[in-house]
Amino acid sequence: MKVVTVVGARPQFIKAAAVSRSIRKYNLENPVNQIEENIVHTGQHYDHNMSQVFFKELDIPNPNYNLGIGSGQHGEQTGRMLEAVEKVLENEKPDWLLVYGDTNSTLAGALAAAKMHIPVAHVEAGLRSYNRKMPEEINRVLTDHVSKLLLCPTTTAVENLRREGILSGVHQVGDVMFDCMLYYRSKLKEHTPLLKALRVELGYYVLATVHRAENTDSLDKLREIFEAFAEISEQMPVLVALHPRTRKYLQNYGIKVAAGVRLLEPVPYLQMVELECNARVIMTDSGGIQKEAFFVGTPCITLREETEWVETVDCGANILCGASSSRIMDAYKNIENINPDNEMVFKLYGNGKASDEIINLLVGI
Ligand code: UD1
Ligand code: UDP
C-alpha cells in the first residue's frame, strides 16, 4: 500500500513523526504487506528551526519531495501548493493521501487528492472553533468535507462532524500529539542545554508563544498581550518562544518589549516539552501547546476567545482570556484556580496509541 503524506508547517512535523514511526513499526511486523510512505514537504515553513530541526530530532524520514512553496498570501500560497501536490500525486498514484490539522498545506493536499479521486485521511478531523474568520477554520471544515477517513482526537470532534452530517468514515482514534508527548517525554532524562543556559528557576517562569493571525495582525491585540507580559515580568521571567511571524509584526509595529520579557528563537521540540513541563504557567494562542500544557499538568492561559480543545477548559486546565491584558492579568493573579486534572488526560485524549490505530484503519484491519 502506498501513502502520500503532505506536511508543511511545524505542528505537522510533530504529528507526522508519531504516524511515521507507527508505519515503520507496522512494516517490521508485516514484512509481506508493507506500507510505502512518501513524504511531501510543501515548504510552508522553511527556516531551519521551524522545519529541518524537527526532522532530525524526531527521526522523521527525509521528505521524498520538497515543493519549496514558501510564504505568501493565502490564495497564492495554497494555489501554488495545489498545483505542485497534484503533480506529485500524478506521479505517485497513492492509495491514500494523509494530511494533518488545519494549515494551508492541509487544505492544498486534501483538495488536490480529492479532485483526483484519491482517498483522503485527515488526522485531527472534526475540530471546530466556530470562528470562520480564522483561516484554520476554513481549512479544517473544507478538508473534513472531502475526506474519506476522519481521524478524530476527541469525542467533541466526532460530535462536531455529526452536526455537519458527516457520519461515515469517522473514527475516534485519540490524539497523535499525546502519542508524541508520551514517547519523547520519557526520553528527557536530564535537563537540556537550553534550560541550563536560560538560568531560570524551575517552576518559576512563564512560557509564552503567540503566532495566530488574529493576534499578530492587530497592533492593539499584540500590544495588549506584550503589555501583560511586561507587567508579569516584573515578578517572574517571561520566556517567549517567538514565531517568525510575530517577530516580524513586533518590529513592524515598533512594539517595545520589556527587559524582563525574554525573546527566544523557535525552540526544538524536546526543549519545548522541557520548558512546558517546568513552567509555572503557559500563555499561548497555539492549538498544540494548549493541549501539551494539559498533558504535562501546567496551567494554561489561552490568548484567544475560543478554542477547539474545549475539554481543556471544561477540565479547569485552561482559561480563555483573548488578547485583553486585564483578563490575562486577572487569570495570572489567580493561577491557583487553573487546575489541570491530569487523570482526565487519558480519558479525553486516548492511550498514546492513536498513530497505531490510524495505521490499522489505513490498511483496513
Ligand atoms: C501556519 C498555519 C497555522 C499554524 C502555524 C503553526 C496557515 C494558514 N496557518 O501559520 O494554522 O498554527 O503555521 O506554526 O496555514 N515565516 C518565516 N519562516 C518560516 C515560516 C514562516 O519567516 O519558516 C514567516 C513569514 O514571514 C510568513 C509568516 O511567518 O509570511 C507566516 O507564515 P505562514 O506559514 O503563512 O503562517 P503561520 O503564521 O506560520
Ligand atoms: N513548538 C516547538 N517549538 C516552539 C514552539 C512550538 O517545538 O518554539 C511545538 C509545540 O511543542 C507543539 C507544536 O510546536 O508541539 C505547536 O505548533 P504551533 O504552536 O506552531 O502551531 P499550532 O499547534 O497552533 O497549529
Side-chain angles (χ1 to χ4, degrees):
M1 189 182 77
K2 189 191 272 193
V3 176
V4 164
T5 298
V6 174
V7 289
R10 173 168 65 190
Q12 294 166 334
F13 308 138
I14 293 155
K15 294 164 200 174
V19 176
S20 271
R21 193 164 359 92
S22 286
I23 291 179
R24 292 198 292 281
K25 188 171 110 195
Y26 176 90
N27 284 344
L28 278 177
E29 291 164 0
N30 296 276
V32 180
N33 300 314
Q34 297 275 289
I35 301 175
E36 179 188 333
E37 184 186 32
N38 283 282
I39 298 182
V40 178
H41 188 327
T42 62
Q44 177 168 353
H45 287 174
Y46 42 85
D47 290 348
H48 178 80
N49 56 16
M50 292 293 289
S51 173
Q52 289 98 316
V53 75
F54 298 102
F55 282 81
K56 206 156 175 250
E57 183 185 33
L58 308 182
D59 269 336
I60 309 168
N62 280 330
N64 303 75
Y65 295 86
N66 266 304
L67 306 182
I69 302 297
S71 307
Q73 299 288 328
H74 286 282
E76 178 196 9
Q77 187 186 51
T78 314
R80 289 175 60 212
M81 288 177 189
L82 189 56
E83 190 180 352
V85 172
E86 186 175 65
K87 291 203 174 80
V88 173
L89 296 178
E90 263 165 16
N91 206 17
E92 295 293 341
K93 303 192 170 37
D95 300 292
W96 284 103
L97 183 284
L98 189 57
V99 283
Y100 297 88
D102 51 24
T103 73
N104 288 348
S105 298
T106 315
L107 178 61
L111 205 50
K115 294 266 180 121
M116 295 172 76
H117 310 139
I118 294 166
V120 176
H122 183 203
V123 178
E124 275 195 3
L127 296 179
R128 297 290 181 268
S129 64
Y130 296 103
N131 174 359
R132 289 270 172 120
K133 288 207 170 117
M134 291 176 71
E136 292 85 0
E137 184 76 353
I138 310 285
N139 290 342
R140 46 175 100 96
V141 169
L142 295 178
T143 301
D144 282 341
H145 282 259
V146 296
S147 291
K148 178 157 184 202
L149 206 46
L150 296 109
L151 303 158
C152 298
T154 58
T155 316
T156 312
V158 173
E159 176 58 19
N160 290 340
L161 291 176
R162 192 193 61 74
R163 271 192 256 137
E164 288 172 28
I166 304 179
L167 299 168
S168 122
V170 178
H171 300 267
Q172 186 176 344
V173 292
D175 192 288
V176 293
M177 289 186 102
F178 187 42
D179 295 13
C180 264
M181 179 58 80
L182 291 178
Y183 182 81
Y184 290 104
R185 200 179 171 186
S186 67
K187 294 192 177 298
L188 276 175
K189 299 276 184 273
E190 54 181 45
H191 292 314
T192 63
L194 178 68
L195 199 70
K196 286 184 199 148
L198 286 169
R199 293 172 182 273
V200 283
E201 195 182 321
L202 298 189
Y204 198 75
Y205 62 86
V206 177
L207 173 65
T209 77
V210 186
H211 75 273
R212 293 285 171 177
E214 69 206 76
N215 286 328
T216 59
D217 299 13
S218 152
L219 167 62
D220 290 343
K221 287 186 177 171
L222 202 57
R223 192 167 43 202
E224 286 232 11
I225 289 171
F226 275 81
E227 270 168 19
F229 290 171
E231 198 173 336
I232 294 165
S233 74
E234 286 166 14
Q235 296 159 31
M236 201 185 271
V238 178
L239 310 180
V240 189
L242 203 62
H243 191 291
R245 174 190 199 103
T246 317
R247 188 175 288 280
K248 190 173 78 180
Y249 276 96
L250 283 174
Q251 276 159 4
N252 289 353
Y253 294 144
I255 293 177
K256 272 212 159 155
V257 178
V261 178
R262 294 166 64 179
L263 301 184
L264 313 180
E265 289 297 317
V267 296
Y269 176 74
L270 283 182
Q271 298 181 10
M272 190 65 186
V273 169
E274 189 181 35
L275 288 173
E276 290 171 350
C277 291
N278 292 295
R280 175 67 188 95
V281 57
I282 291 175
M283 300 190 180
T284 190
D285 58 9
S286 157
I289 296 171
Q290 289 174 58
K291 262 186 304 180
E292 288 173 347
F294 187 36
F295 298 160
V296 303
T298 300
C300 187
I301 292 175
T302 290
L303 310 171
R304 287 179 48 198
E305 296 294 352
E306 73 285 302
T307 180
E308 304 76 46
W309 305 103
V310 288
E311 310 75 19
T312 61
V313 175
D314 296 345
C315 280
N318 186 7
I319 181 162
L320 302 175
C321 290
S324 148
S325 61
S326 59
R327 283 163 62 199
I328 297 167
M329 288 312 298
D330 277 352
Y332 170 74
K333 285 176 191 150
N334 295 291
I335 299 180
E336 61 282 359
N337 294 340
I338 312 174
N339 279 321
D341 177 358
N342 247 189
E343 295 295 300
M344 289 302 289
V345 172
F346 281 89
K347 288 202 182 100
L348 295 165
Y349 290 100
N351 57 6
K353 295 196 180 338
S355 318
D356 291 344
E357 188 68 24
I358 288 168
I359 303 308
N360 288 340
L361 288 162
L362 287 175
V363 295
I365 291 174

